[in-house]
Amino acid sequence: MAQTDFIRMIIEEDLAADRHGGRVATRFPPEPNGYLHIGHAKSICLNFGIAGQYGGTCNLRFDDTNPSTEETEYVESIKDDVRWLGFEWNGQVRYASDYFEQLYEWAEKLIEKGVAYVDSLTAEEISEHRGRWNESGRESPYRDRPVEENLDLFRRMRAGEFEDGTHVLRAKIDMTSPNINLRDPVMYRIRHESHHRTGDDWCIYATYDWAHGQSDAIEGITHSICTLEFENHRPLYDWYVQALELEDPPHQFEFARLDISHTVLSKRRLLMLVNEGHVSGWDDPRMPTIVGLRRRGYTPEAIRNFCERIGVAKTNSIVDIKLLEFCQREDLEKRAPRVMGVLKPLKVVIENYPEDQVEEFEFPNHPDNPEMGTRMVPFSREIYIERDDFREEPPKKFYRLAPDREVRLRFAYMITCTDVIKDPDTGEVVELRCTYDPATKGGTAPDGRKVRGTLHWVSAAHALKAEVRLNDHLFTRENPNDVEEGKDFIDYLNPSSLEVLEDCRVEPSLADAEPGLPYQFERKGYFVVDSADSKPGKPVFNRTVSLRDSWAKIEQAQLQG
Ligand code: ATP
Ligand code: MG
């Protein structure tokens, strides 16, 4: 079913009324000052999704008007992320910096019209003259400079005759407007800084408001979609395109930005997590960045599906991170091959199984998709099971292994625990002794007797050692942006957001598992081979998401009485 929301409804009305000659042109305009996060994915899915749905186009435009924070590294990663999410932009990548000359000419045009002037107040004075929301602003003493003087000063600003901060170009609108954005907003500042693309060609740089709408106009954008913080900027957006008397001008529409529980989605805060070493980098699997989610094993399909489900509205709210996890589980449930991996191994010796015997059992790679094939898994006298799958004194409803109890080893045999071996010093269980029933080959008893527990296992001699990283939410607080007095968002970091298990054992079929491919470790969750730290023969897995663990729920309920 085609998606709909208030923005799509506006577009359909515009199409019906033949506005913009029936064209739909959107853009995604990231500032190249950080990596993209899941909030940007929402904007990407919206802009590219609309273009796809209505036979329109979507441009990728780097909003690179600020020379000091922008880096080429970010440009490359943003292009990668957009493509990875499954979208292709219209034509060449565009840059606001491509339009610096056109913007400059348009600024002169506004000066000539008498609606822009060079102000020579200091930044503090300008800010002080601006007034506040409940207090009108005051006009600058330079506001009525003659056109010729303004043109001369502006040209000399461009030519580099003045120091940073000595002059600015402002639009002449209304210092008494209730909307502060209309109180003679600054259009250009002097900054003697090199730009990542234009080098030292310019020493005056356009502000966001001046550059953004005009860049939209140059590209023939019809629907300029941005987040709600810019709602108060819309009158200024419209003022500029009207003052320039542009034909078929673009219009701005605002939607609610995405916020997700237990994480932060502000580039400034994400940068701080990276710079202060709270995470291993932008692509740390716990980060809400696209590169982080990708390394964590998230798929583009799951992220797109998530963005579709949350929809597009006009009120800000926080989406529970569980919804994102749900979308990922739903996707991997269908496509991830099943394998066996033991995260916290406990050795089991099957005493009546011949010492040098090895059998191979055939496992389906997916319970519901026979076309995903099967694989052979070796079985021998010594195996590992999950430490949690054994209790010396099993509580009620614990159906796994316990002394004198019989359980099924998945697709192999039924075994009964006959002896528990402990470390004499610590009392810790270090090994189990069991017997198997040779008549239960494949995991079912010919006499029809039932066991309630089925465990996953790996053959000790054949298993591969692996490291497994259990990732969890980065913050304990639901909304880490909502900071209590005297605290900082950093104070809400989850101290156990990463648990590293260095001595896991996985079945030998994973020896040549490729980075990025998802697997379901049966009964344990979805895992992916880490793309940075995995080595042939010594894989490192990231947990993408857990399974809904029914036992964990029972145990929780019991603890709560
Ligand atoms: P941040 O607040 O993280 O610094 P930003 O808005 O400054 O982000 P930009 O690179 O300017 O980052 O954003 C590019 C586009 O992505 C903009 O159109 C912006 O509105 C949109 N965007 C940014 N954050 C979100 C979000 N959390 N939800 C939805 N859209 C977003
Ligand atoms: Mg921005």
Side-chain angles (χ1 to χ4, degrees), residues 10 28 63 83 124 186 234 238-239 302 313 315 348 423 466 520:
I10 291 169
F28 174 64
D63 177 8
R83 285 210 173 106
E124 297 80 72
V186 171
R234 186 174 358 113
D238 291 341
W239 189 90
T315 23
V348 173
D423 182 315
Q520 186 195 93

Side-chain angles (χ1 to χ4, degrees), residues 27-31 33 37 39-40 42-43 225-227 229-230 255-258 265-268:
R27 85 288 171 265
F28 174 64
E31 189 179 340
N33 62 350
H37 53 61
H40 294 112
K42 177 179 179 180
S43 174
I225 303 167
C226 65
T227 40
E229 324 71 283
F230 293 99
F255 71 102
R257 57 181 285 116
L258 172 65
L265 293 184
S266 130
K267 277 190 265 187
R268 197 177 50 80

Side-chain angles (χ1 to χ4, degrees), residues 353 358-363 375-379 411 441 457 462 508:
Y353 194 87
V358 178
E359 284 178 89
E360 292 213 312
F361 291 106
E362 186 173 18
F363 276 63
R375 69 190 187 286
M376 303 308 287
V377 180
F379 181 84
F411 292 126
K441 188 165 180 173
W457 52 271
H462 303 89

